């Protein structure tokens, strides 16, 4: 027996000699695979005397007849009720669906659809990126002695490919890979088949040797994490197709295998045996969607710029094949290719620490974390905590039940709309983690919900819409959420103490971010129709309490002599008027003294000036609000919510014009400067002086371009591009320009790469003016004023 230490990275399983063996991927000096025997099982809610019936279940499977190997009674909490049920064991993981399906004809079954690697992690209380001390005999783990968090360094390689594309979009059956760039351990190279005067270039005799060299490099460098950007959809399949065309095995796996694409939730993922493949593209999209990072569009160059603050080296995508053919430009193409590997690596360095911490918290391996949704992250942690509390994990709903849940949307947050205008001297307060704190303060959980009528109201929290929640015992969801909130508070203290640019600071920052993402996802998970812990009553109770507390705070502010300008979900905006900052802070302190549990109102900031715009719908009635305002902070920074400059489907000229108008009003207090900005842009547009890249409008194809019923500019641009050989499918982000050629806007739309001119009137009337008009109307300007036709009026009262 040998005692060893290593960091757990991932688990899967193999069947050997009729036994199920869990296979652990561990990192010591190198990655190693060790085995542990473990029995698959599920739970069955059948009477005590059902053992003979259970063991007699025999079901034909794909290669043999399967049946339980043994069963035993287990005391569990089943959907909130304590009872004894059966724990039914089978020989192999894929026997579980067959046996449980047969027994489910008569009795309720639970935990029969949990992936076996996940089952092992749950039952052993293990999390990836923890250091295990264990005893082993040969390749088998005999005992896990201890576990603790560990700092793990994984050998990470980024890669990217360039392809020959004379038809616009490269065709994997015809067009060669011309460059493969990679970076690992600070070494950044470009593999190509052309002699190029760059010291980082590795020259091969042809495409076949290039791909072979890349595969050899992945192996020789002992690559543990392979980073790509959209590599699941493009780079890996393209390299595999070109390897096939050249009669070469695409042996990128540690065991010499290729990769496997499978469906995970809402997206495809590419698995590589023995290596962790991380596609950063869906990861960046997820982080942008949940607001962890501000990313307006998800191209590599844009993600790199917005995450690092640096510009990426660029070339025209349609010029790649021309640059390859031109001896004078091939070196510049190699520089571009090499930079792609750098950009991918730098994005990875920002996101991977976050993913590692998320993996530790949710007990998911890095590969799964990198492609997970917020719901999957929450669900993983709840599954582990359920086991710790000896509670059966609820089953996933089938499609019919999920569809039924989707039919009635939950009433959302309360909004008090502001009157449009420009305001001065404001204070903004936010409820800290409003929905998480409501859940923990009121013990909101599907299994604390609506106890028997015999339970007195005094033992319950009663929501504004009448649902009752037991005060004791604590539910699983509020317990787990409370742990996360407490942990985040402790980590924030550690973060403040840690020196910047140290591993301690990096880890603390990543964990704080991970905890924030997780905590803010629990309400959404409760209300998600495909959730295992779905509860409409819980979801609507959370929002009902949210409306109650924001309305109550607004009422208290009014009683304290503040004018309430705006209230939305978890924030209130107060005009100070004759009040002081000290008055505002005293008000906050008074509110907090009266809030229950973990709820707390926080100072978001004081703002010297702000612009507010509302949306009128249903005639003149103002209902619901889009957060649409811009505030000038005391530090001179502008905080913007809801304006077009943070949306992807507006051109850069519209966004930059709007930002400059807001800066003129908020920073400089100058109406004249704001109007001049717009007039100058209009004049530049009319004179044809605006670059096409500033006029490009980006949008994502939500489905296959051939399946749209209604013609739109982006669809028209996509159809024209497809006819020219460009590959566009569901999920593709395209950029298009409205040109002069055509009688309708759709006819004028053209993919940006092919645009030769632009229609100035379109951009004036449909991009620039709409982006600023609502703001400038508050200063008394009309559309005609901005087009040099009308008089300025009503301005002096604002400044």
């Amino acid at each position: 027996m040998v005692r060893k230490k290593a960091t757990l990275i991932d688990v899967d399983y193999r069947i050997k000699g009729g036994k199920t063996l869990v296979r652990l991927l561990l990192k010591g000096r190198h990655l190693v695979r060790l085995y542990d025997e473990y029995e698959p099982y599920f739970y069955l809610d059948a009477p005590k005397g059902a053992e003979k019936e259970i063991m007699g279940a025999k079901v034909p499977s794909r290669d043999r007849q399967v049946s339980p190997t043994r069963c035993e009674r287990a005391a569990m909490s089943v959907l909130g009720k304590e009872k004894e049920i059966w724990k039914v064991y089978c020989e192999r993981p894929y026997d579980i669906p067959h046996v449980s399906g047969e027994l489910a004809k008569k009795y309720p079954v639970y935990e029969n659809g949990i992936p076996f690697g996940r089952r092992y992690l749950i039952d052993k209380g293990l999390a990836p990126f923890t250091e295990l001390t264990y005893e082993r005999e040969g390749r088998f783990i005999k005992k896990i002695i201890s576990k603790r968090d560990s700092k793990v360094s994984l050998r990470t390689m980024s890669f990217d490919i360039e392809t020959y594309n004379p038809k616009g979009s490269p065709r994997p059956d015809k067009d060669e890979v011309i460059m493969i760039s990679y970076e690992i351990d600070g070494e950044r190279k470009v593999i190509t088949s052309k002699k190029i005067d760059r010291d980082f270039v590795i020259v091969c005799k042809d495409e076949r040797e290039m791909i072979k060299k890349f595969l050899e490099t992945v192996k020789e460098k002992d690559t543990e994490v392979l980073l790509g950007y959209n590599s699941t959809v493009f780079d890996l399949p393209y390299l595999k197709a070109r390897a096939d065309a050249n009669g070469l095995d695409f042996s990128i796996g540690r065991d010499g295998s290729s990769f496997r694409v499978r469906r995970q939730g809402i997206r495809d993922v590419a698995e590589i045996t023995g290596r962790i493949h991380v596609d950063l593209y869906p990861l960046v999209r997820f982080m942008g969607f949940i607001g962890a990072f501000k990313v307006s569009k998800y191209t590599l160059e844009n993600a790199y710029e917005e995450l690092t603050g640096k510009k990426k080296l660029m070339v025209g995508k349609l010029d790649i094949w021309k640059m390859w053919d031109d001896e004078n430009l091939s070196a510049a193409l190699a520089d571009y290719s090499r930079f792609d590997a750098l950009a991918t690596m730098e994005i990875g360095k920002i996101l991977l620490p976050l993913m590692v911490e998320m993996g530790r918290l949710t007990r998911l391996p890095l590969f799964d974390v990198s492609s997970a949704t917020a719901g999957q992250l929450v669900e993983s942690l709840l599954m582990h905590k359920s086991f710790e509390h000896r509670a059966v994990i609820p089953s996933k709903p089938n499609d019919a039940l999920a569809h039924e849940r989707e039919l009635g949307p939950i009433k959302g947050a309360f909004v008090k709309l502001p009157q449009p205008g420009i305001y001065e001297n404001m204070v903004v307060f936010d409820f800290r983690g409003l929905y998480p704190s409501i859940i923990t303060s009121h013990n909101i959980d599907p299994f604390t919900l609506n106890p028997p009528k015999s339970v007195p109201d005094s033992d319950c929290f009663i929501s504004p819409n009448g649902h009752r929640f037991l005060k004791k015992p604590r539910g699983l969801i509020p317990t787990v959420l409370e742990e996360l909130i407490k942990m985040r508070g402790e980590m924030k203290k550690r973060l403040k103490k840690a020196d910047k640019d140290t591993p301690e600071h990096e880890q603390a920052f990543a964990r704080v971010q991970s905890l924030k993402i997780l905590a803010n996802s629990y309400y959404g998970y409760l209300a998600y129709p495909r959730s295992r812990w779905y509860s409409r009553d819980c979801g609507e109770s959370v929002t009902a309490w949210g409306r109650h507390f924001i309305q109550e705070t607004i009422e208290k502010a009014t009683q304290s002599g503040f004018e309430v300008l705006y209230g939305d979900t978890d924030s209130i905006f107060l005009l100070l008027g004759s009040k002081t900052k000290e008055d505002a802070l005293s008000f906050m302190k008074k509110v907090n003294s009266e809030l229950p549990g973990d709820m707390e109102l926080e100072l978001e900031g004081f703002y010297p000036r702000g612009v507010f715009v509302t949306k009128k719908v249903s005639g003149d009635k103002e209902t619901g609000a889009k957060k649409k305002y811009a505030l000038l902070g005391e530090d001179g920074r502008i905080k913007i919510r809801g304006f077009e400059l943070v949306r992807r489907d507006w051109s850069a000229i519209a966004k930059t014009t709007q930002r400059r108008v807001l800066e003129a009003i908020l920073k400089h207090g100058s109406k004249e400067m704001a109007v001049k900005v717009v007039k100058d842009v209009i004049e530049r547009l009319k004179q044809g002086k605006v670059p096409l890249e500033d006029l490009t409008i980006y949008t994502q194809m939500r489905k296959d371009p051939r399946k749209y019923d209604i013609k739109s500019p982006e669809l028209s641009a996509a159809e024209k591009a497809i006819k020219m050989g460009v590959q566009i499918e569901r999920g593709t982000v395209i950029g298009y320009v409205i040109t002069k050629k055509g009688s309708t806007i759709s006819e004028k739309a053209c993919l940006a790469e092919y645009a030769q001119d632009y229609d100035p009137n379109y951009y004036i009337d449909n991009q620039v003016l709409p982006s600023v008009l609502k703001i400038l109307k508050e200063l008394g300007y009309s559309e005609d004023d901005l087009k040099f036709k009308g008089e300025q009026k009503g301005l002096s009262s604002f400044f």
Side-chain angles (χ1 to χ4, degrees):
M1 203 84 74
V2 179
R3 179 173 289 199
K4 291 282 188 179
K5 288 183 179 180
T7 299
L8 178 63
I9 302 299
D10 201 352
V11 296
D12 58 13
Y13 74 92
R14 291 291 183 270
I15 305 297
K16 288 190 177 182
K19 291 183 177 180
T20 299
L21 301 179
V22 176
R23 192 168 64 161
L24 291 81
L25 183 64
L26 297 159
K27 173 69 184 290
R29 289 184 179 178
H30 303 282
L31 284 181
V32 295
R33 293 265 191 200
L34 296 179
Y35 296 89
D36 193 2
E37 290 186 30
Y38 200 65
E39 294 179 278
Y41 68 87
F42 65 95
Y43 289 109
L44 181 75
D45 191 356
K48 188 174 183 179
E51 182 176 4
K52 187 175 180 181
E53 183 181 0
I54 293 168
M55 296 304 294
K58 298 185 186 300
V59 190
S61 73
R62 56 189 177 187
D63 58 350
R64 69 197 210 293
Q65 186 167 271
V66 299
S67 60
T69 56
R70 64 188 182 94
C71 61
E72 62 188 23
R73 295 292 274 173
M76 302 290 289
S77 173
V78 182
L79 307 184
K81 296 179 180 178
E82 299 297 325
K83 62 195 311 186
E84 272 200 351
I85 57 176
W86 289 98
K87 192 175 185 180
V88 182
Y89 294 87
C90 293
E91 184 179 313
R92 305 178 185 183
Y94 44 79
D95 295 346
I96 297 285
H98 298 290
V99 176
S100 64
E102 179 66 22
L103 293 170
K105 293 175 182 177
K106 189 172 181 181
Y107 303 111
V109 298
Y110 300 99
E111 302 193 17
N112 61 330
I114 298 173
F116 190 60
R118 189 85 56 81
R119 170 88 277 166
Y120 178 83
L121 290 175
I122 290 171
D123 292 5
K124 294 288 186 177
L126 299 177
F129 311 112
T130 55
E131 183 183 78
L132 307 182
T133 301
Y134 56 90
E135 291 180 349
R136 71 177 176 86
E137 194 172 274
R139 303 281 289 176
F140 284 83
I141 289 180
K142 293 301 181 180
K143 183 180 181 182
I144 295 174
I145 299 167
S146 64
K147 54 194 176 186
R148 66 182 183 87
D149 277 2
S150 71
K151 296 176 183 176
V152 60
S153 177
L154 296 170
R155 290 182 58 76
T156 302
M157 174 187 282
S158 64
F159 81 107
D160 192 82
I161 67 173
E162 308 304 333
T163 56
Y164 197 67
N165 60 336
K167 296 295 184 181
S169 181
R171 301 159 296 179
D173 58 330
K174 296 178 180 178
D175 296 325
E176 292 189 357
V177 173
I178 54 178
M179 291 181 180
I180 306 173
S181 59
Y182 70 85
E183 177 175 340
I184 185 168
D185 294 335
E187 177 185 290
R188 200 177 313 131
K189 300 288 187 181
V190 174
I191 304 170
T192 187
S193 59
K194 179 178 285 190
K195 190 173 181 181
I196 297 173
D197 186 22
R198 290 288 190 270
D199 59 5
F200 55 79
V201 167
I202 300 172
V203 182
C204 299
K205 69 177 183 179
D206 55 25
E207 182 190 35
R208 187 180 192 277
E209 290 302 311
M210 284 171 54
I211 298 173
K212 187 178 179 182
K213 179 64 177 176
F214 172 66
L215 295 173
E216 288 172 353
T217 304
V218 171
K219 183 179 180 181
E220 289 168 3
K221 298 291 185 181
D222 192 27
T223 302
E224 294 165 350
V225 176
L226 191 65
L227 287 180
Y229 200 89
N230 205 28
S231 46
T232 298
V233 173
F234 183 70
D235 300 76
L236 286 176
Y238 206 100
L239 282 170
K240 172 69 166 57
R242 296 310 303 162
D244 291 345
N246 282 282
L248 183 68
D249 289 336
F250 192 65
S251 53
I252 198 166
R254 193 170 290 273
D255 60 355
S257 63
S258 183
F259 63 92
R260 179 173 72 97
V261 176
R262 64 175 173 84
R263 195 74 176 171
Q264 180 170 298
I266 60 173
R267 59 176 65 95
D268 289 335
V269 295
E271 288 181 302
I272 301 173
T273 301
R275 310 191 201 282
I276 304 167
H277 169 236
V278 176
D279 186 346
L280 293 169
Y281 172 72
L283 191 52
V284 168
R285 290 199 62 186
F286 170 65
M287 290 298 172
F289 176 74
I290 63 174
F293 299 103
K294 290 183 179 178
V295 183
S296 56
K297 54 180 181 286
Y298 304 109
T299 59
L300 176 60
E301 55 267 27
N302 194 72
Y304 176 71
E305 182 177 348
E306 296 195 16
L307 290 179
T308 69
K310 297 180 284 189
K311 288 277 189 182
K312 181 183 166 301
L313 181 64
M314 292 297 297
V315 302
K317 289 185 178 179
L318 296 179
D319 295 330
I320 288 175
W321 70 277
K322 297 176 186 176
M323 296 177 73
W324 174 253
D325 286 344
D326 189 334
E327 296 293 335
N328 297 319
L329 296 176
S330 57
L333 182 60
D335 292 337
Y336 166 74
S337 178
R338 185 171 183 250
F339 205 106
D340 280 357
L342 165 69
T344 302
M345 180 61 79
E346 290 203 15
I347 293 172
K349 285 179 178 177
I350 292 169
L351 295 183
L352 283 180
L354 183 60
M355 293 300 99
V356 167
E357 290 305 314
M358 192 70 79
R360 284 197 179 105
L361 290 168
T362 63
R363 325 291 172 85
L364 282 173
L366 179 59
F367 175 75
D368 293 326
V369 172
S370 69
S371 56
T373 63
Q376 289 165 343
L377 296 171
V378 167
E379 184 171 277
S380 177
L381 182 55
L382 286 177
M383 288 166 73
H384 279 263
K385 293 296 183 180
S386 286
F387 180 84
E388 291 174 14
H389 287 76
R390 295 195 61 79
V392 161
I393 298 169
S395 301
K396 281 187 175 181
N398 58 32
D399 289 342
L401 180 56
H403 179 68
E404 182 183 328
R405 291 173 174 180
E406 289 170 350
L407 296 178
I410 291 172
K411 185 179 178 181
F414 169 79
V415 176
K416 170 182 167 47
L417 289 173
Q419 285 298 312
I422 298 169
Y423 297 87
E424 298 192 355
N425 295 327
M426 289 165 284
V427 60
V428 179
F429 294 112
D430 284 336
F431 280 99
R432 177 175 57 83
L434 178 62
Y435 286 176
S437 65
I438 286 173
I439 293 171
T440 59
S441 298
H442 300 88
N443 203 26
I444 296 177
D445 186 276
F447 306 125
T448 63
L449 171 68
N450 292 337
K453 291 182 179 178
S454 57
V455 177
D457 285 352
S458 59
D459 291 337
C460 298
F461 295 107
I462 303 175
S463 73
N465 53 1
H467 295 303
R468 301 196 312 158
F469 296 88
L470 282 171
K471 291 181 178 179
K472 292 181 180 179
R474 296 287 284 169
L476 177 68
I477 287 177
T479 298
V480 173
L481 191 47
E482 201 165 42
E483 289 174 5
L484 293 176
I485 293 169
K486 183 180 178 181
M487 198 186 306
R488 183 166 183 251
E490 292 169 353
M491 290 305 300
K492 286 176 83 172
K493 292 176 184 176
R494 277 181 54 184
L495 181 62
K496 287 181 180 178
K497 294 177 181 178
D499 294 331
K500 286 190 175 182
D501 301 320
T502 63
E504 291 74 21
H505 187 277
E506 181 184 87
Q507 184 182 26
F509 175 79
R511 185 161 290 193
V512 166
Q513 287 293 102
S514 300
L515 288 163
K516 179 180 178 181
I517 291 167
L518 272 178
N520 288 339
S521 300
Y522 272 76
Y523 160 71
Y525 184 71
L526 274 171
Y528 176 52
R530 294 188 179 275
S531 162
R532 292 177 185 269
W533 276 268
Y534 171 86
S535 170
R536 180 187 176 85
D537 291 348
C538 287
E540 39 182 41
S541 293
V542 173
T543 56
W545 258 307
R547 293 191 297 273
H548 165 77
F549 285 113
I550 195 74
Q551 288 173 303
E552 184 179 67
T553 306
I554 287 172
E555 185 178 335
K556 289 178 180 178
T558 303
Q559 291 170 354
S560 297
F562 291 95
E563 181 181 348
V564 180
L565 173 64
Y566 177 39
D568 188 352
T569 311
D570 60 355
S571 305
I572 59 168
F573 294 60
L574 308 179
L575 294 176
L576 287 175
S578 60
K579 297 277 190 181
T580 65
K581 290 181 180 180
E582 288 70 27
D583 293 332
L585 296 174
S586 295
F587 165 73
M588 180 182 74
K589 187 176 180 180
K590 181 176 183 300
V591 170
N592 283 330
S593 69
E594 299 167 354
L595 287 172
D598 299 321
M599 296 193 66
E600 183 181 354
L601 192 67
E602 292 183 317
L603 173 68
E604 200 275 325
F606 292 98
Y607 295 93
R609 187 177 289 129
V611 176
F612 288 80
V613 176
T614 55
K615 181 182 180 183
K616 289 181 183 289
V617 295
S618 305
D620 288 334
K621 187 180 179 183
E622 294 178 350
T623 63
K626 286 192 171 184
K627 292 183 178 181
K628 204 159 188 176
Y629 58 83
L631 304 174
L632 176 67
E634 291 185 303
D635 58 1
R637 295 182 181 180
I638 294 178
K639 177 180 178 179
I640 296 169
R641 292 290 181 272
F643 284 110
E644 285 72 16
L645 60 87
V646 297
R647 285 173 47 187
R648 184 168 60 186
D649 55 347
W650 284 77
S651 62
I653 192 69
K655 295 176 184 179
T656 54
T657 303
Q658 188 183 76
R659 178 176 285 281
R660 290 174 61 202
V661 164
L662 289 171
E663 287 176 348
I665 295 169
L666 296 176
K667 282 190 174 183
H668 303 286
S670 173
K671 59 186 181 294
E672 295 85 4
M673 184 183 292
V675 173
K676 186 176 185 304
V677 164
V678 180
K679 290 185 175 181
D680 287 348
V681 170
I682 290 174
E683 190 59 28
R684 285 178 60 226
L685 281 165
K686 287 180 176 178
Q687 293 176 4
K689 293 182 179 180
V690 178
L692 290 176
E693 57 261 31
D694 289 348
L695 302 169
T696 303
I697 302 165
Y698 290 92
T699 191
Q700 184 180 36
M701 305 306 295
R702 297 295 179 187
K703 54 185 178 181
D704 189 303
R706 301 160 191 83
K707 295 182 180 178
Y708 280 87
D709 297 323
I710 301 173
K711 182 78 79 174
S712 62
E714 60 267 29
L715 179 59
S716 178
E719 288 176 342
K720 291 173 190 174
I722 290 170
K723 288 178 182 177
M724 298 173 72
V726 178
Q727 185 177 347
I728 297 177
E729 54 193 22
R730 178 185 175 186
T732 300
V733 176
I734 65 167
Y736 65 93
V737 172
I738 305 300
T739 65
K740 293 179 179 179
K741 187 177 179 181
S743 57
T744 67
I745 292 175
S746 290
E747 288 177 6
K748 293 179 178 183
C750 175
L751 221 61
E753 292 91 331
Y754 299 104
Q756 300 296 318
D757 57 30
Y758 66 85
D759 179 354
N761 290 329
Y762 169 82
Y763 285 96
I764 292 168
D765 294 334
N766 296 280
Q767 291 279 313
V768 171
L769 287 179
S771 74
V772 299
L773 206 51
K774 282 189 177 181
I775 304 166
L776 293 178
K777 275 183 177 178
E778 307 310 326
L779 299 177
Y781 284 91
S782 69
E783 183 174 339
D784 285 346
D785 293 328
L786 300 174
K787 289 183 173 180
F788 313 106
K789 294 178 183 177
E791 292 182 0
Q792 301 169 8
K793 56 185 177 180
L795 305 175
S796 58
S797 60
F798 291 100
F799 295 94

